[in-house]
Amino acid sequence: MKAKLIDFSVRGMTCAACSSAVERALRDIPGVMSAVVNLPAEKATVEFMPEMTGFEAFSAVIKEAGYSAEQITEEFIDREREQREKEFNELRKRFISSAILTAPIIIGSMIALPVLSNWYLLFLLATPVQFWSGLRFHKAAISALKHRTTNMNTLISVGTSSAYIYSLVATFMPELFFKGGITPHVYFDTSATIITLILLGRLLEAKAKGKTSDAIRKLMGLQAKTAFVIRDGEEKNIPIGEVTAGDIVIVKPGERIPVDGEVIDGYSTTDESMLTGESLPLEKSPGDKVFGGTVNKAGSFKLRALKVGKDTALSQIIRLVEEAQGSKAPIQRLADKVASVFVPTVIGIAVITFLAWFVFGPKPSFTLALMNFIAVLIIACPCALGLATPTAIMVGTGKGAENGILIRDAGALELSHKIEAVILDKTGTITKGEPEVVDIIITGNGQEASPSPITHSLSSDEVLQIAASAERFSEHPVGAAIVRKAVERNIELLEISNFSAMPGGGIKAKVKIQDSNPPLPPFAKGGRGGIIDVFIGNEGMMRRGNINILTVESLSEKISSEAKTPVFMAVDNEIKAVFSIADTIKEGSLEAISEMKKMGIDVIMLTGDHQNTGRAIANEAGIDRFFAEVMPDQKVEVVRKVKAEGKVTAMVGDGINDAPALAEADVGIAIGTGADIAIEASDITLIKGNLKSVVDAIRLSRLTITTIKQNLFWAFFYNVVGIPVAAGLLYPFGGPLLNPMIASAAMAFSSVSVVSNSLRLRKKRL
């Protein structure tokens, strides 16, 4: 049996106790392997065995727990925007009504005005606030009570109802108080103000929470709605959902590219900043890949659709960000444990507070006992506790996506802030991963090789023209590098014949030089306007071909010592030039490595190169520790060795052979330009493909965890300090009593402050 993963929305949750109750209910279902409930996103993620259970069972237990579940069926849309807007408008309507009714209640309670101070009028004003504006709290509390559980709404409902019922009895049956020698008072202002302030807090919280998923909305907004395709010889504008792989799509200037594909005709530049975070446009010509959601800047072109719908890079990013935002960080476990016992504990403290004040407190003891009872219930509402971690995770993962950093789950985001060692695979990570001609050294007539061209030898461009012409049909990376260099210099290639690729990476060909422009000098056998024999290869191939390389041996050693590869070109059996080939260091790699070292991270390099070559590259990159001559299957052992030193270790790689090491590391970081299997094995994917993003990912983790710790500190601190004050423990020592209305304002402020603190992450620079 294979486990299945499902996401669905959960409605009606208001605090950490709610999400904990839903999680417990889901985990108790036979066949459920794991369940995670995200309070701000109002979403549950369940891993289960489909042969044993399914969504119907999940929906039933959630309904039984007092909430509702709704299956997510549509693909990649903002599933909750319409519902959130509806709820926000309803919340705003109830808050405004509550505020309008509460204002005269407060005035009438504080100032002895003949009309407004009338208890019957206060009753008429407070009743709609209590039972209409505050209806959501009472319904949720009753539902929780039915299922033998408690939550934040329980505290609000019990607190406001206590003040309201006490005032109701005082208004309509004051004789009950007089018989007991108590002068009755009404606290309609307390119940109404508490509901109004909590509604205000909920309103501000809902608005702020909506911003935490801005990254998802921005990404979804990048998806094209239609595409121009060529079908049956005609250009048709069709909905994006009807485009299929293989379709020929026309993209005009200024349009969003609708699908992932390959340019087959035309030339343009594209803005891929939504994928990579880089603002510079990229040139695109036939053969180049383009991605859905990016913007075509200048010219028109045709592309062949390769990936459509949910398979496009943009759709995969949206899915990954959604999953990360819905996951739960290990640091949240503490908050969850506290939340599970928090509300019953608070109710117990409130009851003890009431009894203590009623039995031992000064007169009017009942009134003071009731007010302190209500204050404890209200100030202890655990909203902030439930929002502390998930809001920061949502903002952090969203910010990462906007900067080309895709984080698989909250656990990876949290663990990344502890990284102490980063292992970098050299090829494709530190370096570009493709050979490049960095120098062409001219030789000739059996003389010692010299960087300066000899007067009767070939020029650098002439050497490149001959070599690139001979290599034009080679599939070897070195041959491709030589051809690429010639193209960069706009050098015209010559006609060749008798091309043959040799085992070990060399080539032989006959090059016709008679039509070269400018004319090439004479050669040993070919003569002006003739055909020359060209042989290109490494030192071993030259020896096997009986080519004399004694005069260039010292040069070869010098090139090798500089972490470069010497490649020889012989014309008519005579060495005419030596190419210095290197896998050059990527732009930004040196700065990123330096920055990681400043952050106190041990930077380690892995390479399959020779020890001397590895040392030269490590020195150039500023890396003190490296492992050379490491075969692909040995990379895992290096990761284990570093982990055994007690360091939280990250592995950064881009190839298929990096996948096992990425999976073995505490945090696997894949360069997004690499192989799909490496990306699948990683915890973090860097779309930009440069090491600067590794630094940004670690900084993002540190900023997010700092924010979470700040949120949790204030949530715990607020309750630890607030509850004793509300219980009146400071009163015997000359301290104040906490008015329930002030307690409700403080409670509302705590939730808003936690969400606002999380939103500050969006403005932080990485």
Side-chain angles (χ1 to χ4, degrees):
M1 291 191 295
K2 189 176 181 181
K4 186 178 178 182
L5 208 64
I6 186 175
D7 292 334
F8 53 89
S9 65
V10 180
R11 300 290 182 188
M13 299 185 298
T14 55
C15 66
C18 299
S19 57
S20 294
V22 174
E23 273 190 7
R24 286 196 303 272
L26 289 170
R27 287 172 181 166
D28 288 343
I29 298 174
V32 170
M33 301 173 68
S34 67
V36 176
V37 178
N38 186 308
L39 175 62
E42 296 184 329
K43 188 173 77 172
T45 301
V46 179
E47 185 179 11
F48 65 102
M49 306 305 293
E51 294 84 356
M52 299 178 65
T53 187
F55 177 74
E56 290 184 3
F58 307 153
S59 179
V61 298
I62 289 172
K63 185 176 181 180
E64 190 179 334
Y67 309 94
S68 63
E70 180 183 347
Q71 195 159 14
I72 298 167
T73 54
E74 294 186 33
E75 203 72 36
F76 302 122
I77 60 170
D78 190 355
R79 307 175 181 96
E80 295 169 288
R81 177 186 290 180
E82 187 177 332
Q83 183 67 25
R84 283 187 186 276
E85 287 181 356
K86 183 179 177 182
E87 288 182 4
F88 181 82
N89 291 333
E90 177 68 19
L91 197 57
R92 182 170 57 183
K93 181 172 70 175
R94 290 182 185 262
F95 163 70
I96 292 172
S97 301
S98 182
I100 291 171
L101 292 171
T102 301
I105 295 174
I106 294 174
I107 295 171
S109 300
M110 297 177 66
I111 304 172
L113 296 176
V115 177
L116 289 180
S117 297
N118 184 282
W119 288 5
Y120 294 103
L121 177 61
L122 295 178
F123 159 75
L124 292 175
L125 293 172
T127 300
V129 175
Q130 180 70 21
F131 295 106
W132 184 75
S133 298
L135 180 63
R136 58 173 52 218
F137 307 124
H138 306 309
K139 284 176 66 177
I142 292 169
S143 177
L145 182 62
K146 285 180 181 177
H147 301 96
R148 298 177 183 177
T149 184
T150 55
N151 55 38
M152 185 197 92
N153 298 291
T154 306
L155 304 180
I156 296 171
S157 181
V158 172
T160 57
S161 297
S162 298
Y164 177 83
I165 293 170
Y166 175 86
S167 303
L168 185 69
V169 173
T171 302
F172 291 97
M173 291 181 285
E175 62 276 5
L176 295 178
F177 293 90
F178 289 126
K179 287 179 181 178
I182 300 172
T183 303
H185 295 278
V186 293
Y187 295 96
F188 291 122
D189 57 332
T190 299
S191 62
T193 303
I194 288 172
I195 288 174
T196 302
L197 288 173
I198 292 174
L199 285 173
L200 174 61
R202 286 281 184 88
L203 193 67
L204 296 174
E205 180 187 311
K207 190 171 184 179
K209 277 166 63 178
K211 293 179 181 178
T212 61
S213 56
D214 275 355
I216 287 286
R217 277 197 287 273
K218 286 179 183 177
L219 290 171
M220 289 176 174
L222 297 173
Q223 294 174 313
K225 303 295 186 291
T226 60
F228 286 95
V229 300
I230 298 176
R231 286 185 178 171
D232 302 323
E234 295 182 13
E235 183 180 324
K236 299 179 179 179
N237 188 17
I238 64 173
I240 191 66
E242 296 179 14
V243 180
T244 59
D247 275 340
I248 305 302
V249 181
I250 299 172
V251 185
K252 299 173 182 177
E255 291 183 344
R256 286 203 179 277
I257 298 171
V259 295
D260 292 4
E262 180 180 344
V263 177
I264 59 172
D265 184 36
Y267 171 86
S268 185
T269 56
T270 61
D271 177 3
E272 296 186 356
S273 57
M274 49 71 64
L275 278 178
T276 65
E278 298 288 354
S279 58
L280 293 176
L282 300 175
E283 295 182 355
K284 300 291 181 180
S285 55
D288 289 335
K289 297 288 193 299
V290 291
F291 301 95
T294 59
V295 179
N296 179 30
K297 302 291 285 184
S300 297
F301 61 86
K302 295 178 183 177
L303 66 87
R304 179 177 289 105
L306 300 178
K307 293 182 178 180
V308 299
K310 65 180 182 180
D311 295 324
T312 64
L314 178 59
S315 295
Q316 295 291 342
I317 290 170
I318 292 172
R319 177 186 61 78
L320 200 59
V321 175
E322 282 187 318
E323 288 177 359
Q325 290 189 340
S327 61
K328 184 171 290 189
I331 197 172
Q332 193 173 339
R333 292 172 189 154
L334 174 62
D336 289 347
K337 287 180 181 178
V338 172
S340 65
V341 297
F342 190 79
V343 175
T345 302
V346 168
I347 292 175
I349 293 172
V351 171
I352 293 170
T353 298
F354 178 86
L355 294 174
W357 277 91
F358 182 70
V359 175
F360 304 108
K363 291 188 176 182
S365 60
F366 182 82
T367 300
L368 291 173
L370 180 64
M371 290 300 100
N372 290 329
F373 170 78
I374 295 169
V376 169
L377 291 176
I378 299 304
I379 201 167
C381 290
C383 309
L385 200 58
L387 295 169
T389 300
T391 51
I393 293 293
M394 290 180 73
V395 176
T397 51
K399 184 176 180 65
E402 291 173 1
N403 286 274
I405 302 166
L406 299 184
I407 299 160
R408 186 175 296 277
D409 56 37
L413 180 64
E414 178 182 339
L415 187 58
S416 295
H417 89 284
K418 298 179 180 178
I419 290 173
E420 299 167 284
V422 173
I423 300 173
L424 305 174
D425 182 60
K426 186 210 78 175
T427 305
T429 303
I430 298 175
T431 63
K432 293 179 180 177
E434 59 181 26
E436 182 178 328
V437 177
V438 294
D439 201 4
I440 302 172
I441 302 170
I442 310 300
T443 66
N445 294 345
Q447 300 182 34
E448 177 68 32
S450 168
S452 302
I454 301 171
T455 55
H456 53 271
S457 297
L458 297 168
S459 71
S460 174
D461 280 359
E462 289 167 344
V463 165
L464 197 54
Q465 184 180 40
I466 294 169
S469 299
E471 292 275 16
R472 67 197 303 178
F473 298 121
S474 172
E475 295 181 355
H476 195 279
V478 170
I482 292 172
V483 174
R484 193 163 52 247
K485 195 71 172 179
V487 172
E488 289 174 6
R489 294 190 183 181
N490 296 316
I491 293 174
E492 183 181 352
L493 301 186
L494 304 172
E495 184 181 334
I496 70 166
S497 60
N498 291 34
F499 171 85
S500 64
M502 305 175 69
I507 65 102
K508 280 186 176 181
K510 291 185 180 294
V511 179
K512 186 178 181 181
I513 65 171
Q514 63 184 11
D515 298 326
S516 65
N517 185 24
L520 289 167
F523 293 94
K525 296 178 182 176
R528 183 181 297 277
I531 294 175
I532 58 174
D533 290 320
V534 178
F535 181 20
I536 301 174
N538 58 27
E539 183 177 326
M541 298 204 68
M542 292 294 114
R543 292 185 189 281
R544 288 192 291 275
N546 296 316
I547 305 295
N548 184 5
I549 61 169
L550 289 174
T551 57
V552 291
E553 279 186 336
S554 60
L555 175 62
S556 175
E557 291 175 4
K558 181 176 182 297
I559 292 172
S560 297
S561 68
E562 295 172 348
K564 300 169 186 173
T565 302
V567 175
F568 305 90
M569 184 184 84
V571 176
D572 295 333
N573 295 321
E574 182 183 327
I575 299 293
K576 288 293 181 180
V578 181
F579 292 88
S580 182
I581 309 290
D583 183 6
T584 55
I585 291 179
K586 281 183 183 180
E587 183 180 351
S589 289
L590 298 181
E591 294 84 349
I593 290 167
S594 174
E595 196 63 34
M596 280 188 269
K597 291 168 74 174
K598 288 179 183 175
M599 296 167 74
I601 296 171
D602 186 12
V603 183
I604 302 162
M605 185 185 79
L606 281 183
T607 178
D609 292 332
H610 186 273
Q611 194 77 15
N612 291 338
T613 304
R615 182 177 291 105
I617 295 172
N619 289 339
E620 185 181 355
I623 296 174
D624 302 320
R625 187 181 179 190
F626 69 95
F627 292 85
E629 301 179 52
V630 178
M631 300 303 291
D633 59 341
Q634 296 173 328
K635 293 181 179 181
V636 171
E637 294 304 319
V638 174
V639 173
R640 288 173 181 162
K641 182 177 180 179
V642 177
K643 285 174 65 178
E645 296 171 5
K647 296 176 179 177
V648 176
T649 304
M651 169 71 193
V652 184
D654 76 326
I656 292 174
N657 56 34
D658 294 325
L662 290 169
E664 177 66 31
D666 295 310
V667 180
I669 303 176
I671 299 293
T673 51
D676 289 344
I677 191 168
I679 294 170
E680 283 297 317
S682 67
D683 301 300
I684 297 173
T685 300
L686 310 177
I687 299 177
K688 293 182 186 179
N690 62 52
L691 285 185
K692 176 65 169 61
S693 293
V694 176
V695 177
D696 290 344
I698 296 172
R699 280 186 178 149
L700 177 64
S701 173
R702 292 182 177 184
L703 286 171
T704 304
I705 296 305
T706 298
T707 302
I708 289 172
K709 287 180 178 177
Q710 289 170 347
N711 289 348
L712 288 174
F713 170 78
W714 286 112
F716 280 118
F717 177 80
Y718 162 81
N719 283 302
V720 168
V721 173
I723 291 175
V725 173
L729 292 183
L730 299 181
Y731 185 78
F733 307 100
L737 290 176
L738 190 63
N739 189 299
M741 291 185 285
I742 297 175
S744 63
M747 189 277 289
F749 174 76
S750 70
S751 299
V752 175
S753 64
V754 161
V755 179
S756 300
N757 188 47
S758 296
L759 290 173
R760 288 172 58 241
L761 264 175
R762 297 196 306 172
K763 298 179 181 179
K764 297 279 188 181
R765 293 189 62 182
L766 297 180

